[in-house]
Structure formats: C-alpha cells, structure tokens
Amino acid sequence: MCAVPFGAALARDVEVGPRPAFLIEKMADGALKDTLMACSGKPVERTLFSIGHRGAPLQFPEHTRESYSAAARMGAGIIECDVTFTSDKQLVCRHAQNDLHTTTNILGTELAAKCTQGFTPAGGDKASAECRTSDITLAEFRTLKGKMDAADASAETVGDYMNGTAPWRTDLYATAGGTVMTHAESIALIGSLGAKFTPELKAPSVEMPYDGFTQADYAQKMIDEYKAAGIPASDVWAQSFNLDDVLYWIENEPDFGRQAVYLDGRDSEDGFDPLKPDTLKPSMQELADLGVNYIAPPIWMLLTVSDGKIVASPYAVAAKEAGLRIIAWSFERSGPLNSGGGWYYQSVSDVISGDGQMYEVLDVLAEEVGINGMFSDWPATVSYYASCMGLK
C-alpha cells in the first residue's frame, strides 16, 4: 500500500476519527442524537461551515504546517492564519506578536537572548517571559519549532516553564516540534489542501508606526500576499478585532472588504451586555451601514438560557435583523464541559454539565442563531455535524 505523506496536497477524503461518535454517545437521548447517530459510517464532506481555528490546536502545535494539514484532513473548508510581523516586517503566522515564549521553543535556543523579557523563574511572583516575533528576523523565526501553547507559571526552570500543556490536550504530535510558517507559505499550503482562507490581522505589541510601517501598511500587506498568490477575494475572509482595519479593507480593497470579518471583542468595554443590544456601540445596524457584512463574536455572546433551555441571545437576534452574517468562535477551546464550559460557555454555564452537550450547543447556534461558520480547535467535530446536517 502506498502511504500518503501527512502534509501532502489535496486531502480529498475527510477523516473525523472517533471523537464525534464519542461525543454523540454522551448525549441525552433525543431527536438530535438519533440524527447524528444515523450519519455514522457515511462519508463526511468538506464544508465552509467548519473552520480550522489556528489549524487543529486541540492536539497539534497551532499555526504550524502539521496543524493546518490536520485541519484540512478533518474537513475544515476554511483554515485560519493569525498574522503578525517580524523585526524585518515580514508576515508570519502566530496567534499574537508576543507569544513565542508559549508557542515555540525559543526559550530553549540562543534566540532567548533577544526576547523582550527573558525567563524569570517563579518565586514571590509567577514565572514569566515575553518573546515577540518583532524581536527577531524572519530568518531567525524560521529556525524555531512550534509547541503546544502553554507555560507553567510555577516553574523554576526554563524546561519546566515550557512543559505546561494542559492535561486535556496532548504533546503526542509535538515531540519533533511543529513547522512554523510565514503567511505566504500558509497561503500556498492551505490552497494545496483544498481549503480557503481566513487570516486575522493581529494587534501589534509594538508601537505603530513601526520603523515607518503603519497600521494601514500592515493591513494592506496582508491582502497583497493573497493578490500576489493569485487567490480570488471570494476565497478570503480577512478578520480583525480592530474595526478600523475592517473599514480600511472595505474602502481600499472592496473585493476583499465584502467578506471582511469584524471580530467582536467589545465584552471588555464598560456597560457591554449581549442581553441589551441597544447598549452596543456601534450598533448592529450601524455596523451594517458602514459596510460590514460579517461579525464574529465568541460563542457565549450568541446564547442565553430561557426556561432552562439554551436559546439565541438578543445580541444574536439583533445581528441577524441587521443582515449581518455570523461566525462563532471557538468550539472545543474550553476543554471538558463538566465544570460548566468556562469562558466560552459563560452565558449558559448553569445548564452545562458535560461533553455530551457540545452538539446541543452547536445545533442551537446553527439552527436557531443561524451562524454561517464555526471556528473549532478540532474541526472534525464540526465537520461531522455540518456534513450530517447538510450545511455548506
């Protein structure tokens, strides 16, 4: 039998593994469980509804070739590269400009000497470090290896600090280190895997302009790399938490701006309440009037509890009434749900008691809220549901 290389080109056959069945078995009896069980054994189709959040970081080092390849094999129709830049202003895939100390092996290399803050062991305070992509050049970045995003704040040594993976994740696929990628390399890989693109322009940790590199330059450079690769704008959902970035694309790159995604992080603002959408500034309708077509909040903003049941929140209703398309984040980011689901499920934690409710939550988001896509740390779970339900 001829073996297929792990990172090989187009993965036509979707592989979801045992996890969907594991979650379905834990569901309460009912129509949804019966429907999902009836799809067992049927081919799973790739769907744009299933979005690889940083690839497949539940088990693979995020934003690495291996993580992106795994997401594609699990049926993710869209895969995310979070975009930031190096000291020589080259775009690379990292969740934050200042996360190299938790997502790569930099502290175990000579490049640790270039970090904004080197390793400080635990003592009276927690252990800490801060290493930025802007601390190093692209050539230096390429020498790093991706690891599971984690750090042990109680560590007294660099080795222990780097070895902090949560017990519900795994280092099984990180033993050799993940292959870090430039943004341009991610475009080539994701395209070869048959998926589409959702790059997120990350907020810089350095003051802008950076050596003459303005925020507008940064936003434009990200789009330019898709144009240089010949990727049609219809295959790209550019994202940012910074509304000004989204508005820049709408005005200056209208083909890409039509699918630009406003990531909603307004929960950090005083007075924010998803149960009172009239308190949101700008309002959903004002966003639509500005030309925004997509909004992407965390799962909890879209849900609330009524009469003991999980239902769409007023936030979700207002977004739909304004004609906004909704993408939610992030499925399976919280880990096991037996303690209420943590931050991502905070609005419905009173009725969350175990992993068997994951598909119940996803079903409310898909059917009642009407989301257009779901970011997931393990895309196979969402791909199974989407294919079973005929979502595109």
Side-chain angles (χ1 to χ4, degrees):
M1 181 178 291
C2 180
V4 178
F6 180 76
L10 183 61
R12 291 181 176 85
D13 297 327
V14 175
E15 304 169 7
V16 297
R19 185 153 179 78
F22 171 80
L23 295 176
I24 293 166
E25 285 291 335
K26 292 185 174 298
M27 294 177 65
D29 292 340
L32 178 60
K33 182 176 183 178
D34 292 343
T35 297
L36 294 174
M37 288 186 68
C39 291
S40 177
K42 296 180 180 179
V44 175
E45 297 182 2
R46 187 180 312 281
T47 170
L48 298 182
F49 185 88
S50 179
I51 305 171
H53 179 238
R54 315 185 200 180
L58 185 66
Q59 294 193 20
F60 290 81
E62 65 184 44
H63 294 309
T64 61
R65 173 178 289 274
E66 295 78 9
S67 191
Y68 294 154
S69 298
R73 286 185 177 275
M74 295 180 202
I78 304 173
I79 298 175
E80 178 189 47
C81 165
D82 287 326
V83 178
T84 187
F85 57 87
T86 58
S87 64
D88 45 354
K89 294 172 279 190
Q90 299 302 303
L91 302 186
V92 296
C93 299
R94 286 292 95 195
H95 178 248
Q97 190 169 48
N98 63 342
D99 74 359
L100 292 182
H101 52 288
T102 64
T103 65
T104 75
N105 67 333
I106 191 170
L107 289 176
T109 74
E110 293 181 354
L111 291 175
K114 292 193 170 187
C115 290
T116 294
Q117 177 199 328
F119 172 70
T120 300
D125 297 316
K126 295 180 179 179
S128 63
E130 183 180 357
C131 302
R132 302 175 177 178
T133 57
S134 54
D135 290 335
I136 58 176
T137 66
L138 176 59
E140 291 169 329
F141 174 81
R142 290 183 185 277
T143 68
L144 300 177
K145 292 293 185 180
K147 73 176 191 68
M148 296 300 284
D149 181 15
D152 183 352
S154 67
E156 296 183 358
T157 68
V158 168
D160 287 343
Y161 182 78
M162 295 170 64
N163 187 26
T165 304
W168 47 270
R169 293 182 181 270
T170 181
D171 287 311
L172 184 63
Y173 301 106
T175 53
T179 307
V180 298
M181 305 201 77
T182 68
H183 177 234
E185 288 168 346
S186 80
I187 294 172
L189 175 64
I190 292 168
S192 76
L193 294 169
K196 299 186 180 183
F197 314 86
T198 185
E200 180 188 339
L201 197 74
K202 302 302 296 189
S205 297
V206 295
E207 185 177 351
M208 300 291 276
Y210 175 76
D211 190 25
F213 191 50
T214 67
Q215 185 69 24
D217 293 336
Y218 180 30
Q220 186 63 53
K221 187 177 179 71
M222 189 180 84
I223 298 301
D224 285 345
E225 294 198 345
Y226 288 95
K227 295 166 74 174
I231 304 297
S234 58
D235 287 354
V236 181
W237 286 261
Q239 317 168 70
S240 181
F241 279 99
N242 182 351
L243 181 57
D244 286 341
D245 293 337
V246 176
L247 298 179
Y248 173 87
W249 294 321
I250 291 170
E251 180 178 354
N252 296 280
E253 291 287 351
D255 289 343
F256 288 87
R258 276 190 286 274
Q259 290 189 165
V261 181
Y262 173 43
L263 294 163
D264 197 344
R266 291 178 289 177
D267 57 297
S268 61
E269 298 178 1
D270 291 339
F272 174 86
D273 187 348
L275 300 181
K276 299 176 181 178
D278 57 324
T279 65
L280 302 182
K281 302 297 180 186
S283 68
M284 298 298 186
Q285 189 57 56
E286 287 169 340
L287 288 172
D289 291 343
L290 289 169
V292 176
N293 292 319
Y294 285 84
I295 191 168
I299 290 170
W300 70 268
M301 288 190 195
L302 296 167
L303 302 173
T304 189
V305 176
S306 178
D307 296 327
K309 295 183 178 180
I310 299 173
V311 298
S313 70
Y315 173 105
V317 173
K320 298 296 286 188
E321 287 179 346
L324 297 176
R325 297 185 177 186
I326 304 171
I327 299 173
W329 47 274
S330 294
F331 208 61
E332 298 198 79
R333 188 72 186 165
S334 289
L337 302 189
N338 55 0
S339 60
W343 189 85
Y344 286 90
Y345 290 79
Q346 60 186 280
S347 61
V348 294
S349 60
D350 288 348
V351 296
I352 295 293
S353 59
D355 292 349
Q357 292 174 274
M358 282 189 185
Y359 275 131
E360 293 177 20
V361 170
L362 184 56
D363 194 58
V364 172
L365 289 166
E367 297 298 323
E368 184 170 339
V369 175
I371 62 173
N372 297 92
M374 171 61 80
F375 281 96
S376 179
D377 280 29
W378 199 243
T381 308
V382 175
S383 297
Y384 181 95
Y385 172 88
S387 183
C388 184
M389 297 299 185
L391 301 176
K392 301 300 181 184

